Amino acid sequence: MKRSISGIKPTGNLTLGNYIGALREFKKYQDEYENYVFIADLHALTLPIDPAFLRSNTKDIVAFYLASGLDINKTTIFLQSDVSAHSELNSILINYLYMGELSRMTQFKDKSAKLNHEAIGVGLFAYPVLMAADILLYNADVVPVGEDQQQHVELTRDLVHRFNTRYNKEVFVMPKAITPKVGARIMSLSDPTKKMSKSDPKGDIFLKDEPNIIRKKIMSAVTDTGSDIIYDPVNKPGISNLLQIYAALSDISIEEAQTKFKDIHQYGEFKKIVADKVLEEIIPFQERYKAFLNNNTINEVLNIGKERARKVANKTLTKIKKTVGLYVHE
Ligand code: ATP
Ligand code: LTN
């Protein structure tokens, strides 16, 4: 069976962008792939974060994973920090990626631009190295991610090529990013030219928002001049974003969504239908999330996941240590 791996970092409250671009996708792979889904808690330390928030947000994400339909009989759910092989492989791989490459990463450029130059953490710079370790430890064939993470997977691919060429054998499996056909980049509702992002919340819908707040946010989403419901991200970014959200949640194409709304010429009416769609999906999701959070299954799920993940990851780590010449002895 081919393998799939992905993760979310617990840096902020999860948004509708995380739901559509990631959470909702992860479940789709659990029947076809040996599925690994984790919480990238070490990655959450790459920018300052409150320890209590990091802890509670980590538990939240486990509950969100379960609420999204991930089944522990099919998917291994675990914490990155529970599997020390991630940090160990990171220490090895850090020597195989270059400063030039890392400094060209869009995420690094965006996030470091907001910091004082003297206070840019090395972890933020080396973020893609740890991400490559996350992927390669599991010999993953596919990595389901939103559009913004594609570049990091590309860099992992470059690393695989470099590593396998250097040691003249197929040490690592070549992974491939897969993004949702619709919804790979959900935009902010208040500024639809910017990505909806949990660590820079502007115009975000949070998965924990009360339903009436979600409706209010959608009804007051920034739109464009005109009255037609047309997908045109350049000239009509607000309407295009809402169309994208509707299409993704309905599992239809953008074209199909556009056809559905061709006779509606009032943004208010359109927004109401989009809000209904979002709530139809999010309300039961929130109820499942609350149930998982309250029934004490979180630790059990993580313990099971930790054992399974460690087994796979340690095996790969030993192979890599031997490949690069570290003295492995039993
Ligand atoms: P941060 O703001 O801390 O960078 P984020 O909201 O971008 O966080 P991540 O933890 O980086 O979230 O992403 C988790 C997953 O959700 C990734 O696969 C990412 O591509 C996806 N994702 C994040 N934001 C969006 C979005 N607006 N639209 C679609 N997918 C998204
Ligand atoms: N960088 C990702 C989180 C992440 C990840 C990974 C995703 C860390 N390691 C490995 C896929 C595979 C993000 O910001 N969402």
Side-chain angles (χ1 to χ4, degrees):
M1 216 179 197
K2 289 198 166 187
R3 290 209 181 128
S4 169
I5 191 158
S6 197
I8 296 182
K9 54 184 186 303
T11 42
N13 288 311
L14 260 55
T15 71
L16 186 66
N18 297 130
Y19 181 77
I20 293 177
L23 274 177
R24 202 167 175 274
E25 290 297 299
F26 296 167
K27 183 185 75 175
K28 296 186 185 166
Y29 297 97
Q30 69 180 357
D31 292 319
E32 226 183 300
Y33 290 85
E34 192 179 317
N35 207 23
Y36 292 83
V37 174
F38 66 102
I39 291 128
D41 52 355
L42 293 171
H43 273 121
L45 298 175
T46 55
L47 286 172
I49 186 164
D50 175 61
F53 176 73
L54 174 56
R55 254 189 304 273
S56 71
N57 201 22
T58 298
K59 277 180 72 182
D60 263 1
I61 298 183
V62 180
F64 279 135
Y65 281 163
L66 295 168
S68 72
L70 289 182
D71 170 356
I72 60 161
N73 295 312
K74 299 177 181 170
T75 298
T76 299
I77 298 176
F78 66 100
L79 292 187
Q80 188 184 35
S81 64
D82 264 340
V83 183
S84 58
H86 290 243
S87 302
E88 294 178 58
L89 185 59
N90 180 63
S91 300
I92 296 175
L93 295 183
I94 205 149
N95 304 299
Y96 298 79
L97 279 165
Y98 305 141
M99 308 264 289
E101 296 173 312
L102 295 176
S103 60
R104 281 193 291 276
M105 292 293 110
T106 307
Q107 178 178 290
F108 172 70
K109 286 197 272 186
D110 289 351
K111 295 203 190 280
S112 61
K114 294 179 189 143
L115 301 170
N116 170 348
H117 184 73
E118 292 299 312
I120 300 171
V122 177
L124 184 65
F125 183 66
Y127 184 110
V129 184
L130 180 58
M131 181 157 163
D134 299 337
I135 297 169
L136 300 178
L137 278 174
Y138 298 88
N139 293 315
D141 301 280
V142 296
V143 187
V145 283
E147 199 179 279
D148 59 313
Q149 294 299 318
Q150 265 177 320
Q151 198 183 30
H152 290 156
V153 181
E154 278 307 311
L155 189 60
T156 305
R157 289 171 61 85
D158 292 344
L159 171 69
V160 168
H161 183 70
R162 184 172 302 156
F163 205 93
N164 289 352
T165 306
R166 174 138 160 207
Y167 296 102
N168 203 18
K169 56 182 171 189
E170 220 197 307
V171 189
F172 288 128
V173 171
M174 186 62 87
K176 187 169 165 270
I178 33 179
T179 51
K181 272 194 221 82
V182 183
R185 191 174 170 83
I186 303 294
M187 310 306 274
S188 150
L189 295 188
S190 60
D191 181 354
T193 61
K194 297 216 161 62
K195 190 189 91 144
M196 190 182 280
S197 163
K198 66 175 138 60
S199 65
D200 184 16
K202 264 191 297 300
D204 282 17
I205 289 180
F206 295 111
L207 298 180
K208 290 208 286 188
D209 277 343
E210 292 294 333
N212 63 326
I213 302 287
I214 294 182
R215 184 175 292 281
K216 221 167 158 180
K217 286 182 176 175
I218 296 175
M219 293 310 290
S220 52
V222 166
T223 45
D224 331 280
T225 51
S227 56
D228 291 331
I229 316 300
I230 293 170
Y231 187 74
D232 176 354
V234 175
N235 299 307
K236 292 165 88 70
I239 288 297
S240 302
N241 190 35
L242 293 174
L243 257 178
Q244 177 184 213
I245 291 172
Y246 183 88
L249 293 178
S250 311
D251 289 313
I252 58 175
S253 67
I254 300 271
E255 293 73 32
E256 284 170 308
Q258 207 170 240
T259 308
K260 188 174 161 62
F261 295 113
K262 70 178 185 338
D263 296 328
I264 292 186
H265 301 290
Q266 266 185 338
Y267 286 165
E269 199 181 333
F270 168 59
K271 284 175 168 176
K272 186 177 171 305
I273 300 173
V274 175
D276 288 344
K277 186 81 218 168
V278 172
L279 291 175
E280 178 189 310
E281 178 129 350
I282 295 300
I283 292 174
F285 172 74
Q286 291 184 334
E287 281 162 9
R288 292 193 296 273
Y289 153 78
K290 282 181 197 150
F292 282 119
L293 205 57
N294 294 329
N295 73 3
N296 291 321
T297 48
I298 307 284
N299 289 354
E300 201 181 322
V301 166
L302 291 178
N303 283 332
I304 294 170
K306 174 170 84 174
E307 293 310 321
R308 278 198 228 144
R310 279 182 182 168
K311 236 182 232 146
V312 178
N314 287 339
K315 193 167 160 211
T316 310
L317 181 65
T318 302
K319 178 175 155 198
I320 304 313
K321 281 174 141 180
K322 286 182 181 162
T323 301
V324 301
L326 296 176
Y327 185 61
V328 176
H329 53 97
E330 267 98 44

